[in-house]
Amino acid sequence: MGLLMAFKLLDMAQQRWRRLDGAHLLPLVRAGTGILLFLVVSSAYYISPIRYSYDSSYSLLMDEAILQHGTPNLLCYQVGRGRGGNFSNHGYLYMIDLVKGRLLYIFPWGGALLSLPAVAALNVGGLEVAPHGIYNAGNDLKMQTVIATVLCAGIIWIFYQTANALLPIPWSLGLALSAAFATPIWSTASRSLWAQTWYLFLISLVIWLLISNRMRPVLLGTLLGWAYFVCPQSLPAIVLISLYVLVEYKPKYFAAFVFTGAAWAVAVAGTMIFFFAHLLPPSYQAQVFDFRHGLMRLAGLLLSPSRGLFVFVPIVLLPLYVMIRYWSVFPRKRLALLALAVIVSHIVITALWGAAWWGGWSYGPRLLIETVPWFVLLAILGVRAFLDKPVLSYQRFALVGVAAALLFVSVAINAVGAFSQAANDWNGVPNIDFNPERVWDWRHPQFLAWLTSPESWPRVSDKRPSQKRGRKVISRTH
């Protein structure tokens, strides 16, 4: 009887498979391709050897404190103390400080709180940041590696799904792989659990919602509320997105969106005021706009050999060209203008806000990594316009050739950040935070540091004792 039932079920399954046509198979192919993409990218990110922990150190310890003691106060753990250098906050490292009688993580809390479920799962699996109450930097780095890898692979999967809204599967897959290995998502965001890592994940979901035409105001407001909690400097982008929603959608959707965002804003403000007596965490309170040398900083962010966006990711020039070249047939023009406005505003504000415009110890244009999802959006819209507009075959061939060349250079340069310890050590010989003019040195650019030995690098004495944040290096090779 059981054997007959098994044969019957097998026969039913075969009949159902025969009834599948192209319309039914396409979603299966898309889903299968997306799963394979996630597995390939996550594996590549995980095996890339360079790892470090800068600003995100102790963020996961805060999660463990919440899970084990119900408080973000880290005084219940044994953490390292010292004098001078990075031990600048009452003898603690620059990531934590005593505030109102509590030892708190003083960078934005959004990413740490979003990581709570992952930390809980890893704790159940036997991996803890502070086993027996003693902070373990190695375990912290291992946990950051797992979370950052999954997040960044998830970002690439979201890019793929976003592209599927307008493009065939091969083009969607190609764009997703390009974003995976030709941008700082590989060389920076996946190397450590930066605040920008979580921000990229959230804003990629926002773009997916906007391009899908399925307005979900509560979800959109929630994503943007948490984006601010993760990266307070995302406020200009949130304002621009809010204006887009106001223009593009019905008033009732905008009202629900604003109400949701306001509710999260109140929650975030209340949390910050309760713990820090300020709307911003301490690491942001000292940041002010500095309009001196603004053009020099802007040029450095875009063109310098060791921090320039167009040097490390030249492929981003292509979506800008295609947008101009094919504007007459460009789809979703308002959405494209939103992307361009967010990119420009972020670059300008980064050039004017705060002192360390070069991003401290990092690889390439770390402070411009927030623009990557918007460049991907422009690329998706640009490819759609490219496919829709009939042009001469030699023009298509030339454009594809230029794209291939720029893509090759972008992948090669970002691979250095993921594989070369010398490129990351470049920050310290001499200290980039005390010698930021090094970002303009074409004789010793960061992306070519792997070709030379540290002994051949320029020797310039630090201008003052190491007091700034961003020097603590924890990597697999160290």
Side-chain angles (χ1 to χ4, degrees):
M1 186 65 178
L3 189 60
L4 289 174
M5 291 181 64
F7 275 115
K8 181 64 175 176
L9 290 173
L10 180 61
D11 182 63
M12 292 172 60
Q14 289 177 340
Q15 292 179 9
R16 187 170 184 177
W17 176 258
R18 293 191 189 102
R19 288 197 298 268
L20 287 175
D21 55 16
H24 292 89
L25 283 175
L26 187 59
L28 294 177
V29 173
R30 282 178 174 167
T33 304
I35 294 172
L36 182 61
L37 172 69
F38 178 87
L39 294 175
V40 169
V41 171
S42 59
S43 299
Y45 285 170
Y46 189 79
I47 65 175
S48 299
I50 298 303
R51 297 285 175 185
Y52 43 76
S53 181
Y54 294 141
D55 300 351
S56 55
S57 295
Y58 298 100
S59 63
L60 302 187
L61 181 61
M62 185 184 86
D63 289 345
E64 281 195 5
I66 293 173
L67 291 170
Q68 297 174 2
H69 304 284
T71 174
N73 189 355
L74 305 182
L75 282 175
C76 49
Y77 296 99
Q78 181 178 332
V79 298
R81 300 192 71 176
R83 289 185 176 183
N86 288 327
F87 294 93
S88 55
N89 295 336
H90 298 93
Y92 294 103
L93 283 168
Y94 71 91
M95 312 89 169
I96 55 179
D97 198 4
L98 289 170
V99 182
K100 299 171 63 176
R102 304 183 184 94
L103 182 60
L104 300 176
Y105 179 66
I106 62 170
F107 282 78
W109 282 12
L113 295 179
L114 289 171
S115 300
L116 265 171
V119 172
L122 291 169
N123 285 172
V124 171
L127 184 60
E128 296 183 357
V129 178
H132 310 295
I134 303 173
Y135 175 71
N136 186 306
N139 287 0
D140 191 354
L141 186 60
K142 290 177 183 178
M143 295 174 71
Q144 288 193 44
T145 297
V146 173
I147 298 172
T149 296
V150 173
L151 277 178
C152 288
I155 292 166
I156 302 305
W157 179 84
I158 294 169
F159 289 163
Y160 168 75
Q161 296 296 340
T162 303
N164 275 331
L166 295 177
L167 301 176
I169 292 176
W171 283 99
S172 300
L173 182 61
L175 283 176
L177 288 172
S178 299
F181 299 110
T183 71
I185 293 178
W186 186 20
S187 60
T188 299
S190 64
R191 303 301 89 207
S192 181
L193 193 58
W194 297 98
Q196 291 132 311
T197 305
W198 266 110
Y199 174 80
L200 291 174
F201 185 82
L202 295 170
I203 212 66
S204 298
L205 288 173
V206 168
I207 293 173
W208 189 12
L209 285 176
L210 294 178
I211 206 172
S212 67
N213 272 332
R214 295 193 301 269
M215 182 55 180
R216 298 175 181 175
V218 175
L219 177 58
L220 185 61
T222 299
L223 291 172
L224 291 178
W226 276 95
Y228 176 80
F229 202 11
V230 168
C231 281
Q233 66 266 35
S234 65
L235 182 59
I238 293 172
V239 171
L240 290 170
I241 295 170
S242 301
L243 293 175
Y244 175 83
V245 174
L246 174 63
V247 172
E248 194 72 10
Y249 296 98
K250 296 179 180 179
K252 64 177 182 179
Y253 291 133
F254 181 73
F257 164 75
V258 170
F259 179 80
T260 304
W264 283 111
V266 170
V268 171
T271 302
M272 291 294 97
I273 291 174
F274 179 81
F275 286 102
F276 298 116
H278 200 282
L279 290 175
L280 293 173
S283 60
Y284 278 72
Q285 292 173 17
Q287 302 291 331
V288 295
F289 281 102
D290 185 355
F291 294 93
R292 297 173 299 172
H293 312 298
L295 290 178
M296 182 276 294
R297 294 179 175 191
L298 184 62
L301 288 168
L302 298 177
L303 301 173
S304 66
S306 294
R307 289 295 185 265
L309 177 67
F310 297 151
V311 174
F312 281 76
V313 199
I315 190 64
V316 300
L317 292 168
L318 195 64
L320 300 177
Y321 167 77
V322 172
M323 182 179 179
I324 297 172
R325 174 68 175 80
Y326 295 97
W327 182 251
S328 61
V329 294
F330 217 74
R332 308 292 297 275
K333 287 184 172 64
R334 287 180 178 175
L335 190 57
L337 291 174
L338 169 65
L340 188 62
V342 172
I343 291 170
V344 171
S345 66
H346 182 79
I347 293 174
V348 171
I349 289 174
T350 302
L352 299 178
W353 185 58
W357 60 268
W358 58 91
W361 282 43
S362 57
Y363 181 79
R366 179 178 71 86
L367 295 185
L368 298 187
I369 194 173
E370 291 92 335
T371 64
V372 169
W374 299 102
F375 276 113
V376 172
L377 173 59
L378 289 179
I380 293 170
L381 300 176
V383 169
R384 183 68 269 167
F386 174 78
L387 296 176
D388 289 342
K389 184 173 182 177
V391 295
L392 298 177
S393 58
Y394 75 86
Q395 292 178 339
R396 285 181 177 268
F397 180 79
L399 188 57
V400 171
V402 171
L406 294 176
L407 182 62
F408 175 80
V409 174
S410 299
V411 171
I413 290 179
N414 282 280
V416 173
F419 281 90
S420 172
Q421 185 60 45
N424 287 274
D425 291 343
W426 176 94
N427 291 291
V429 186
N431 194 322
I432 184 64
D433 283 336
F434 307 138
N435 302 275
E437 66 278 359
R438 292 181 58 215
V439 303
W440 289 104
D441 186 0
W442 279 100
R443 296 171 301 172
H444 301 91
Q446 187 178 21
F447 63 88
L448 293 181
W450 62 282
L451 293 175
T452 58
S453 63
E455 290 75 17
S456 66
W457 296 351
R459 298 290 169 176
V460 181
S461 60
D462 288 347
K463 298 177 181 177
R464 50 181 168 164
S466 176
Q467 292 293 334
K468 288 190 177 182
R469 60 183 175 88
R471 257 76 68 196
K472 183 170 181 283
V473 178
I474 306 172
S475 71
R476 249 178 223 181
T477 51
H478 282 175

